[in-house]
Amino acid sequence: MNSIQEQPPEEVKENLELLKSDLDNKIPSKQLDRNLLIATWNIRAFGNLTRKWDSDDDDSPKRDLHSILCIAEIIKRFDVIAVQEVKDNIRALRDTLKVLGSNWSLILTDVNKGKVGNGERMAYLFDTRRVQLSGLAGELVVPEEWEDSIKDNALSNQFVRSPYAVSFKSGKRTFILVTLHILYGKNKKNRIPELRGIAKWLRDWADNVNAYHQDFIALGDFNIDERGALLNQTFLSEGLYVPPQLQNDKVTRSIFNKTKYYDQIAWFNSDNSGPKLSMEFINGGNYDFVNVALKNRLLTNNSLSWLISDHYPLWAEFKV
Protein backbone atom coordinates (compact mmCIF):
# COMPACT_ATOMS: atom_id res chain seq x y z
CA MET A 1 0.00 0.00 0.00
CA ASN A 2 1.39 3.37 -1.01
CA SER A 3 1.33 6.61 1.00
CA ILE A 4 0.60 10.12 -0.25
CA GLN A 5 3.80 11.26 1.52
CA GLU A 6 6.03 8.98 -0.58
CA GLN A 7 7.79 10.22 -3.69
CA PRO A 8 5.48 9.54 -6.66
CA PRO A 9 6.63 7.69 -9.79
CA GLU A 10 8.27 9.75 -12.54
CA GLU A 11 5.23 9.50 -14.81
CA VAL A 12 3.06 11.00 -12.07
CA LYS A 13 5.58 13.80 -11.51
CA GLU A 14 5.60 14.62 -15.22
CA ASN A 15 1.83 14.78 -15.36
CA LEU A 16 1.74 17.01 -12.29
CA GLU A 17 4.20 19.44 -13.89
CA LEU A 18 1.90 19.67 -16.92
CA LEU A 19 -1.04 20.47 -14.63
CA LYS A 20 0.95 23.11 -12.72
CA SER A 21 1.95 24.83 -15.94
CA ASP A 22 -1.65 24.89 -17.18
CA LEU A 23 -2.89 26.31 -13.87
CA ASP A 24 -0.19 29.00 -13.98
CA ASN A 25 -1.58 30.11 -17.33
CA LYS A 26 -5.27 30.04 -16.42
CA ILE A 27 -5.67 30.96 -12.72
CA PRO A 28 -4.56 34.35 -11.33
CA SER A 29 -1.63 34.20 -8.93
CA LYS A 30 -2.07 35.00 -5.26
CA GLN A 31 -0.81 38.52 -4.52
CA LEU A 32 -0.24 39.51 -0.91
CA ASP A 33 -2.58 42.30 0.28
CA ARG A 34 -3.88 42.75 -3.27
CA ASN A 35 -6.30 39.97 -4.17
CA LEU A 36 -8.50 37.25 -2.73
CA LEU A 37 -9.33 34.07 -4.66
CA ILE A 38 -12.55 32.33 -3.65
CA ALA A 39 -13.72 29.10 -5.31
CA THR A 40 -16.35 26.39 -5.16
CA TRP A 41 -16.03 22.79 -6.35
CA ASN A 42 -18.33 19.81 -6.24
CA ILE A 43 -15.80 16.97 -6.06
CA ARG A 44 -17.66 13.82 -7.02
CA ALA A 45 -18.15 11.38 -4.11
CA PHE A 46 -15.17 12.82 -2.24
CA GLY A 47 -14.79 10.07 0.32
CA ASN A 48 -12.60 6.99 0.37
CA LEU A 49 -9.66 6.30 -1.93
CA THR A 50 -7.41 3.46 -3.06
CA ARG A 51 -3.87 4.04 -1.83
CA LYS A 52 -2.15 3.25 -5.10
CA TRP A 53 -0.61 5.75 -7.48
CA ASP A 54 -2.76 4.43 -10.35
CA SER A 55 -5.89 2.44 -9.47
CA ASP A 56 -6.77 -0.66 -11.47
CA ASP A 57 -10.06 -1.48 -13.20
CA ASP A 58 -11.12 -3.75 -10.35
CA ASP A 59 -10.26 -1.28 -7.57
CA SER A 60 -13.01 0.41 -5.61
CA PRO A 61 -13.02 3.31 -5.14
CA LYS A 62 -11.34 4.46 -8.34
CA ARG A 63 -9.87 7.62 -6.81
CA ASP A 64 -6.16 7.10 -6.15
CA LEU A 65 -3.08 8.97 -4.93
CA HIS A 66 -2.32 10.42 -8.36
CA SER A 67 -5.82 11.92 -8.37
CA ILE A 68 -5.30 13.44 -4.91
CA LEU A 69 -2.12 15.18 -6.05
CA CYS A 70 -4.07 16.71 -8.95
CA ILE A 71 -6.98 17.78 -6.74
CA ALA A 72 -4.61 19.35 -4.20
CA GLU A 73 -2.69 21.18 -6.94
CA ILE A 74 -5.94 22.77 -8.16
CA ILE A 75 -7.19 23.64 -4.65
CA LYS A 76 -3.93 25.32 -3.60
CA ARG A 77 -4.41 27.98 -6.29
CA PHE A 78 -7.23 29.51 -4.22
CA ASP A 79 -7.34 31.19 -0.81
CA VAL A 80 -10.54 29.50 0.31
CA ILE A 81 -12.64 26.91 -1.50
CA ALA A 82 -16.07 25.52 -0.68
CA VAL A 83 -16.26 21.79 -1.41
CA GLN A 84 -19.49 19.83 -1.87
CA GLU A 85 -20.02 16.03 -1.87
CA VAL A 86 -17.55 15.32 0.93
CA LYS A 87 -18.65 11.92 2.18
CA ASP A 88 -18.80 10.22 5.58
CA ASN A 89 -15.39 8.65 4.97
CA ILE A 90 -12.91 11.55 4.70
CA ARG A 91 -9.76 9.60 3.80
CA ALA A 92 -9.38 11.41 0.46
CA LEU A 93 -9.92 14.77 2.17
CA ARG A 94 -7.31 13.99 4.83
CA ASP A 95 -4.75 12.96 2.23
CA THR A 96 -5.50 16.15 0.30
CA LEU A 97 -4.76 18.20 3.41
CA LYS A 98 -1.46 16.37 3.86
CA VAL A 99 -0.45 17.35 0.34
CA LEU A 100 -1.55 20.96 0.86
CA GLY A 101 0.66 21.17 3.94
CA SER A 102 0.63 22.70 7.41
CA ASN A 103 -0.51 26.13 6.19
CA TRP A 104 -3.89 24.75 5.17
CA SER A 105 -6.88 24.03 7.36
CA LEU A 106 -10.52 23.03 7.01
CA ILE A 107 -13.91 23.29 8.63
CA LEU A 108 -16.79 21.01 7.68
CA THR A 109 -20.30 19.91 8.61
CA ASP A 110 -21.39 16.61 10.07
CA VAL A 111 -22.80 13.99 7.71
CA ASN A 112 -26.36 14.41 6.46
CA LYS A 113 -27.98 11.14 7.53
CA GLY A 114 -31.17 11.58 5.50
CA LYS A 115 -31.63 9.40 2.42
CA VAL A 116 -31.92 12.33 0.00
CA GLY A 117 -28.91 14.00 1.63
CA ASN A 118 -26.79 11.13 0.24
CA GLY A 119 -24.51 10.90 3.28
CA GLU A 120 -22.70 14.09 2.34
CA ARG A 121 -20.92 16.90 4.15
CA MET A 122 -19.94 20.38 3.02
CA ALA A 123 -16.50 21.78 3.74
CA TYR A 124 -14.21 24.77 3.37
CA LEU A 125 -10.48 24.41 2.84
CA PHE A 126 -8.42 27.56 3.30
CA ASP A 127 -4.85 28.84 3.19
CA THR A 128 -4.20 30.16 6.70
CA ARG A 129 -1.44 32.44 5.42
CA ARG A 130 -4.10 34.37 3.54
CA VAL A 131 -7.41 33.66 5.30
CA GLN A 132 -8.42 32.88 8.89
CA LEU A 133 -11.65 31.91 10.57
CA SER A 134 -13.33 34.90 12.20
CA GLY A 135 -15.75 33.14 14.55
CA LEU A 136 -19.07 32.32 12.89
CA ALA A 137 -19.95 28.82 11.66
CA GLY A 138 -23.41 27.34 11.35
CA GLU A 139 -26.00 25.61 9.21
CA LEU A 140 -29.03 27.58 8.04
CA VAL A 141 -32.49 26.53 9.21
CA VAL A 142 -35.79 28.11 8.15
CA PRO A 143 -37.94 29.41 11.03
CA GLU A 144 -41.41 27.81 11.07
CA GLU A 145 -42.99 31.25 10.86
CA TRP A 146 -41.42 31.80 7.44
CA GLU A 147 -42.75 28.71 5.74
CA ASP A 148 -46.09 30.23 4.74
CA SER A 149 -44.48 33.48 3.60
CA ILE A 150 -42.25 31.85 0.99
CA LYS A 151 -43.79 32.27 -2.45
CA ASP A 152 -46.61 29.85 -3.31
CA ASN A 153 -45.99 27.96 -0.04
CA ALA A 154 -43.04 26.46 -1.90
CA LEU A 155 -41.10 25.25 1.12
CA SER A 156 -42.82 22.70 3.37
CA ASN A 157 -39.70 21.02 4.79
CA GLN A 158 -36.22 21.99 5.93
CA PHE A 159 -33.44 22.06 3.37
CA VAL A 160 -32.21 18.62 2.31
CA ARG A 161 -28.60 19.72 2.87
CA SER A 162 -28.53 22.73 5.12
CA PRO A 163 -26.55 25.63 3.65
CA TYR A 164 -23.31 26.06 5.58
CA ALA A 165 -22.22 29.56 6.58
CA VAL A 166 -18.71 30.37 7.83
CA SER A 167 -17.11 33.78 8.38
CA PHE A 168 -13.52 34.45 7.39
CA LYS A 169 -11.17 37.37 7.59
CA SER A 170 -8.38 38.43 5.29
CA GLY A 171 -6.37 41.29 6.71
CA LYS A 172 -8.92 43.77 8.05
CA ARG A 173 -11.72 42.49 5.84
CA THR A 174 -14.41 40.10 7.11
CA PHE A 175 -16.63 38.11 4.77
CA ILE A 176 -19.23 35.36 5.17
CA LEU A 177 -19.41 32.45 2.75
CA VAL A 178 -22.56 30.35 2.48
CA THR A 179 -22.15 27.14 0.53
CA LEU A 180 -25.15 25.30 -0.93
CA HIS A 181 -25.88 21.96 -2.51
CA ILE A 182 -29.46 22.08 -3.75
CA LEU A 183 -31.61 18.95 -4.03
CA TYR A 184 -31.53 17.82 -7.66
CA GLY A 185 -34.80 15.86 -7.59
CA LYS A 186 -36.61 14.27 -10.52
CA ASN A 187 -37.04 17.54 -12.42
CA LYS A 188 -36.28 21.22 -12.07
CA LYS A 189 -39.65 21.93 -10.42
CA ASN A 190 -38.41 19.89 -7.45
CA ARG A 191 -35.57 22.38 -7.01
CA ILE A 192 -37.73 25.51 -6.89
CA PRO A 193 -38.86 25.16 -3.24
CA GLU A 194 -35.32 24.95 -1.91
CA LEU A 195 -34.02 27.64 -4.23
CA ARG A 196 -36.77 30.06 -3.20
CA GLY A 197 -36.45 29.21 0.47
CA ILE A 198 -32.69 29.67 0.52
CA ALA A 199 -32.89 32.86 -1.57
CA LYS A 200 -35.31 34.41 0.92
CA TRP A 201 -33.20 33.28 3.88
CA LEU A 202 -30.05 34.73 2.37
CA ARG A 203 -31.68 38.07 1.59
CA ASP A 204 -33.00 38.49 5.12
CA TRP A 205 -29.66 37.55 6.65
CA ALA A 206 -27.66 39.69 4.25
CA ASP A 207 -29.80 42.68 5.19
CA ASN A 208 -28.75 42.06 8.78
CA VAL A 209 -25.03 41.36 8.35
CA ASN A 210 -24.73 44.29 5.97
CA ALA A 211 -25.30 46.54 8.97
CA TYR A 212 -22.03 45.21 10.39
CA HIS A 213 -20.17 45.86 7.12
CA GLN A 214 -19.52 42.19 6.47
CA ASP A 215 -19.39 40.95 2.91
CA PHE A 216 -21.67 38.06 2.06
CA ILE A 217 -21.17 35.53 -0.77
CA ALA A 218 -23.26 32.47 -1.68
CA LEU A 219 -21.50 29.70 -3.60
CA GLY A 220 -21.87 26.04 -4.39
CA ASP A 221 -23.87 23.60 -6.46
CA PHE A 222 -27.23 25.27 -7.14
CA ASN A 223 -28.22 22.42 -9.51
CA ILE A 224 -29.53 24.84 -12.13
CA ASP A 225 -29.50 23.11 -15.51
CA GLU A 226 -29.73 26.09 -17.81
CA ARG A 227 -29.14 29.80 -17.81
CA GLY A 228 -32.28 31.88 -17.55
CA ALA A 229 -35.65 31.33 -15.96
CA LEU A 230 -34.92 29.10 -12.95
CA LEU A 231 -32.12 31.31 -11.63
CA ASN A 232 -34.07 34.48 -12.46
CA GLN A 233 -37.20 33.28 -10.66
CA THR A 234 -35.38 32.25 -7.49
CA PHE A 235 -32.04 33.74 -6.54
CA LEU A 236 -31.89 36.75 -8.82
CA SER A 237 -35.44 37.79 -7.89
CA GLU A 238 -34.25 38.19 -4.28
CA GLY A 239 -31.39 40.47 -5.35
CA LEU A 240 -28.48 38.06 -5.68
CA TYR A 241 -26.09 39.00 -8.46
CA VAL A 242 -24.01 36.75 -10.69
CA PRO A 243 -21.39 38.76 -12.62
CA PRO A 244 -21.37 38.54 -16.43
CA GLN A 245 -17.95 36.84 -16.35
CA LEU A 246 -19.57 33.86 -14.60
CA GLN A 247 -22.65 33.84 -16.85
CA ASN A 248 -20.55 33.56 -19.98
CA ASP A 249 -21.41 30.50 -22.09
CA LYS A 250 -17.73 29.54 -22.09
CA VAL A 251 -17.69 29.24 -18.30
CA THR A 252 -19.10 25.72 -18.11
CA ARG A 253 -19.66 23.64 -15.00
CA SER A 254 -19.93 20.00 -16.08
CA ILE A 255 -17.37 17.84 -17.86
CA PHE A 256 -20.22 15.95 -19.53
CA ASN A 257 -22.48 18.75 -20.77
CA LYS A 258 -21.24 22.25 -21.61
CA THR A 259 -24.73 23.79 -21.24
CA LYS A 260 -25.19 22.95 -17.55
CA TYR A 261 -25.15 25.86 -15.13
CA TYR A 262 -25.02 24.01 -11.83
CA ASP A 263 -22.36 25.83 -9.83
CA GLN A 264 -22.59 29.49 -8.88
CA ILE A 265 -20.81 32.26 -7.01
CA ALA A 266 -23.21 35.11 -6.24
CA TRP A 267 -23.61 38.09 -3.93
CA PHE A 268 -25.95 40.98 -3.26
CA ASN A 269 -25.34 44.10 -5.29
CA SER A 270 -28.09 46.55 -4.32
CA ASP A 271 -28.22 49.98 -5.92
CA ASN A 272 -30.05 51.42 -2.91
CA SER A 273 -29.66 50.86 0.82
CA GLY A 274 -29.79 47.06 0.58
CA PRO A 275 -26.85 44.68 0.97
CA LYS A 276 -23.95 45.30 -1.36
CA LEU A 277 -20.56 43.62 -1.62
CA SER A 278 -17.79 46.02 -0.67
CA MET A 279 -15.00 43.97 -2.23
CA GLU A 280 -14.30 44.82 -5.85
CA PHE A 281 -14.80 41.87 -8.19
CA ILE A 282 -11.95 41.55 -10.69
CA ASN A 283 -12.62 38.42 -12.71
CA GLY A 284 -13.85 34.86 -12.53
CA GLY A 285 -14.15 31.62 -14.45
CA ASN A 286 -13.89 27.86 -14.31
CA TYR A 287 -10.91 25.57 -14.56
CA ASP A 288 -11.15 22.86 -17.22
CA PHE A 289 -8.84 20.04 -16.14
CA VAL A 290 -10.11 17.41 -18.57
CA ASN A 291 -7.25 17.37 -21.07
CA VAL A 292 -4.57 18.02 -18.48
CA ALA A 293 -5.12 16.12 -15.22
CA LEU A 294 -4.16 12.44 -15.56
CA LYS A 295 -3.56 13.03 -19.26
CA ASN A 296 -1.05 10.17 -19.45
CA ARG A 297 -3.79 7.65 -18.62
CA LEU A 298 -6.03 8.34 -21.67
CA LEU A 299 -9.24 8.19 -19.64
CA THR A 300 -12.84 8.60 -20.73
CA ASN A 301 -14.69 11.53 -19.13
CA ASN A 302 -16.72 9.09 -17.05
CA SER A 303 -13.58 7.46 -15.63
CA LEU A 304 -12.03 10.87 -15.01
CA SER A 305 -15.13 12.00 -13.13
CA TRP A 306 -14.61 9.30 -10.46
CA LEU A 307 -10.93 10.14 -10.14
CA ILE A 308 -11.12 13.96 -10.19
CA SER A 309 -14.74 15.15 -10.57
CA ASP A 310 -17.67 15.58 -12.93
CA HIS A 311 -17.72 19.33 -12.10
CA TYR A 312 -15.17 22.01 -12.88
CA PRO A 313 -14.09 24.29 -10.04
CA LEU A 314 -15.56 27.79 -10.32
CA TRP A 315 -13.58 30.78 -9.01
CA ALA A 316 -13.84 34.51 -8.43
CA GLU A 317 -11.03 37.00 -7.81
CA PHE A 318 -11.60 40.09 -5.64
CA LYS A 319 -9.46 43.16 -5.01
CA VAL A 320 -8.67 43.74 -1.33
Side-chain angles (χ1 to χ4, degrees):
M1 193 70 68
N2 298 110
S3 165
I4 197 68
Q5 295 173 316
E6 295 175 6
Q7 281 293 315
E10 286 302 316
E11 190 174 37
V12 173
K13 289 181 182 179
E14 291 172 6
N15 180 253
L16 201 60
E17 288 303 315
L18 179 66
L19 178 61
K20 288 177 181 179
S21 177
D22 193 61
L23 284 160
D24 287 341
N25 290 329
K26 295 177 180 176
I27 304 296
S29 60
K30 297 181 183 182
Q31 301 177 58
L32 184 64
D33 298 329
R34 296 189 63 184
N35 69 348
L36 183 67
L37 288 156
I38 295 173
T40 181
W41 195 7
N42 182 325
I43 302 180
R44 188 174 195 176
F46 198 38
N48 201 358
L49 80 155
T50 295
R51 284 208 168 108
K52 295 180 179 178
W53 289 110
D54 289 345
S55 58
D56 297 319
D57 290 342
D58 56 352
D59 283 325
S60 181
K62 298 299 182 188
R63 185 167 282 124
D64 53 30
L65 298 179
H66 189 174
S67 310
I68 294 300
L69 290 180
C70 293
I71 289 170
E73 189 60 42
I74 294 169
I75 287 174
K76 72 170 59 172
R77 300 305 171 116
F78 309 109
D79 295 312
V80 55
I81 182 168
V83 179
Q84 301 84 45
E85 279 202 40
V86 177
K87 305 294 281 185
D88 189 357
N89 183 322
I90 59 170
R91 174 179 281 185
L93 178 62
R94 288 189 182 280
D95 272 25
T96 301
L97 272 175
K98 289 176 183 177
V99 176
L100 290 170
S102 60
N103 290 318
W104 280 78
S105 189
L106 86 160
I107 185 169
L108 73 168
T109 65
D110 197 0
V111 178
N112 187 317
K113 297 293 186 181
K115 182 178 179 181
V116 289
N118 200 29
E120 295 175 11
R121 312 169 187 261
M122 289 189 281
Y124 295 97
L125 284 78
F126 53 99
D127 184 342
T128 59
R129 295 166 297 185
R130 305 257 299 172
V131 172
Q132 298 83 40
L133 295 173
S134 65
L136 171 73
E139 297 178 59
L140 310 191
V141 178
V142 175
E144 290 182 10
E145 294 83 357
W146 283 15
E147 291 179 3
D148 291 337
S149 68
I150 294 171
K151 295 177 184 178
D152 304 323
N153 297 321
L155 188 68
S156 58
N157 299 297
Q158 290 297 332
F159 307 128
V160 170
R161 289 175 284 247
S162 298
Y164 187 39
V166 174
S167 65
F168 297 91
K169 60 181 179 180
S170 179
K172 295 181 180 180
R173 187 172 299 279
T174 300
F175 57 96
I176 297 172
L177 301 183
V178 183
T179 187
L180 322 171
H181 190 182
I182 300 297
L183 171 70
Y184 190 78
K186 295 180 180 178
N187 55 61
K188 64 183 180 183
K189 289 183 179 180
N190 295 125
R191 291 161 235 164
I192 291 175
E194 278 209 326
L195 286 166
R196 284 182 175 167
I198 292 173
K200 176 175 171 52
W201 207 112
L202 293 178
R203 177 59 197 242
D204 280 60
W205 197 29
D207 279 330
N208 183 41
V209 301
N210 186 62
Y212 297 94
H213 306 291
Q214 292 179 320
D215 286 319
F216 187 95
I217 299 171
L219 71 174
D221 184 354
F222 290 28
N223 267 323
I224 293 174
D225 282 330
E226 300 171 353
R227 294 160 173 78
L230 188 57
L231 186 65
N232 295 340
Q233 293 167 11
T234 54
F235 275 82
L236 300 187
S237 66
E238 292 290 345
L240 275 163
Y241 168 78
V242 178
Q245 293 91 330
L246 295 180
Q247 296 198 50
N248 189 312
D249 288 347
K250 294 180 180 179
V251 181
T252 55
R253 275 67 169 175
S254 167
I255 74 171
F256 296 121
N257 190 324
K258 301 298 184 183
T259 68
K260 299 304 182 185
Y261 201 45
Y262 299 136
D263 307 283
Q264 304 289 339
I265 301 175
W267 54 87
F268 292 97
N269 196 33
S270 301
D271 293 327
N272 47 38
S273 59
K276 184 179 177 68
L277 193 74
S278 69
M279 293 189 294
E280 179 184 342
F281 173 70
I282 301 173
N283 203 358
N286 66 349
Y287 177 65
D288 182 349
F289 52 79
V290 168
N291 293 315
V292 186
L294 310 180
K295 184 176 181 178
N296 61 305
R297 291 162 69 170
L298 304 176
L299 299 165
T300 65
N301 277 13
N302 184 56
S303 295
L304 184 65
S305 75
W306 292 106
L307 289 158
I308 307 293
S309 185
D310 53 343
H311 289 240
Y312 299 126
L314 190 71
W315 58 269
E317 180 187 16
F318 298 93
K319 183 178 179 180
V320 294

